[in-house]
Amino acid sequence: MSKRRAYAPRVPAEQRRTQVLDAALHLVVTSGHQAVTMEAVAEQAGVTKPVVYGVFASRADLLQALLHREQEQALAQLLAILPARVEEQDPSELAARVLAEFLHAVRQSPDRWHCIVMPMADMPAQFHAARERARAVTLARAEQMAQGLLRAVGAPPELAADIVAHTVVSLFEMAARLVLTDPEHFAPERFVAAIRAAIGLSLRAR
């Protein structure tokens, strides 16, 4: 007598949706976007393919939902980290605190941030566009912060806020990539100490 196939236990719809999206995200990070098929997601999630189709009507719907979730949650994390007012804060301590909180977010959600900061050869156009939109929002907030800090310290006009913003965002992205790919050597604490020291030296030299 053949053994009956095990079926996934019933769980609340939102929990199942999260389970399926998490499985799809893991596949994107480990094998690329092309590896995300309904069958592969079902296997990764430990459910049957009909269960996946019960949550998402098609692969396109699944990927669109994944894109929406990750973009929304990543932006929420970033905007919670970036302060609205910076004028009365110490620049080195502010930068160190924001970097520490950002790298903490990266370590909490490594798959999400892998999709955002790491190069991915098979990234679909809509994912690439969403990543660029999120980066533009981050740059705009970073430039606002830079304007406030530069005014507060009486920086020379040559130190343009947009250049500072691009430099800082690129630095944060590089730090995230290193934390994700070599966490033992590039601990977040090293980056935090380095940026605090670098800004401190710069301010003392003025």
Side-chain angles (χ1 to χ4, degrees), residues 7 26 37 41 53 79 98 135 140 162 171 177-178 195:
Y7 287 91
H26 182 75
T37 64
V41 170
Y53 275 109
L79 295 178
V98 171
R135 194 173 194 273
D162 57 345
L171 170 65
R177 285 192 289 269
L178 292 173
I195 197 169

Side-chain angles (χ1 to χ4, degrees), residues 29-157:
V29 171
T30 57
S31 304
H33 288 81
Q34 296 301 321
V36 182
T37 64
M38 302 299 263
E39 184 174 0
V41 170
E43 183 177 351
Q44 178 65 39
V47 300
T48 62
K49 192 158 65 168
V51 169
V52 178
Y53 275 109
V55 182
F56 297 104
S58 66
R59 177 180 183 271
D61 286 347
L62 190 159
L63 286 174
Q64 184 61 38
L66 178 63
L67 171 61
H68 177 76
R69 185 188 75 165
E70 296 308 308
Q71 181 183 24
E72 186 177 74
Q73 293 186 5
L75 278 174
Q77 284 182 307
L78 281 174
L79 295 178
I81 290 168
L82 299 175
R85 295 186 60 82
V86 298
E87 287 80 355
E88 298 178 1
Q89 301 191 47
D90 177 81
S92 61
E93 291 304 316
L94 173 63
R97 185 176 74 252
V98 171
L99 179 57
E101 292 178 1
F102 170 64
L103 293 179
H104 176 69
V106 170
R107 296 185 80 173
Q108 275 194 319
S109 308
D111 284 354
R112 172 178 304 142
W113 288 100
H114 186 283
C115 291
I116 294 171
V117 302
M118 300 297 290
M120 304 185 76
D122 69 340
M123 179 178 286
Q126 66 268 34
F127 276 72
H128 179 74
R131 186 157 77 168
E132 290 304 305
R133 286 195 299 271
R135 194 173 194 273
V137 171
T138 305
L139 278 169
R141 178 64 72 87
E143 186 171 344
Q144 289 179 340
M145 291 174 58
Q147 289 171 346
L149 282 174
L150 293 173
R151 282 196 303 268
V153 301

